[in-house]
Amino acid sequence: MNQSNNEFPKYIFFTYRIVLFFIAFYFFMMGIALILFPQVLTKSTGQQHAVILGMLRGAGGSILPYSLMYILIAVKPFACRWVAYIIAVANTLAIILDFTSVFFGEYKLSNAMIGVPFEFLSLAAIIIFYSISNRKSILVPQK
């Protein structure tokens, strides 16, 4: 399915890319915050444990490449479709885990709603974009 940017409406690409760059920035800032200021996240929970702070720093380090994956699919959405699938699975899992933590009383719904809107926006953008692209590829003759 070789589809070029010329075969796709520009406003869809523009919107998709803006959403992905925004989410990439959000996750980049989250990663930096986790690396530099993990104690801010645990401050309200009482005594801070060095192991948890170290785990949060490590999670922040793994979030940084995740933000680069968003940039990759924003720049080359058809060449890097597999990256979009990985992100979609990661976002689905994150949403499920956030609501599971709320269900188990590990944290409040307001805490879950910090990340869930971004995860949902990302998932929706990917699903909508690739659904449109799949439909469009049927209608547009391949060169």
Side-chain angles (χ1 to χ4, degrees), residues 37-59:
F37 311 109
Q39 67 278 10
V40 171
L41 295 175
T42 61
K43 186 180 259 185
S44 65
T45 61
Q47 182 181 0
Q48 299 187 359
H49 300 281
V51 172
I52 300 299
L53 294 177
M55 291 170 70
L56 289 172
R57 278 198 174 93

Side-chain angles (χ1 to χ4, degrees), residues 86-100:
I86 291 171
I87 289 174
V89 169
N91 284 325
T92 302
L93 184 60
I95 291 168
I96 290 168
L97 291 173
D98 282 337
F99 285 119
T100 300

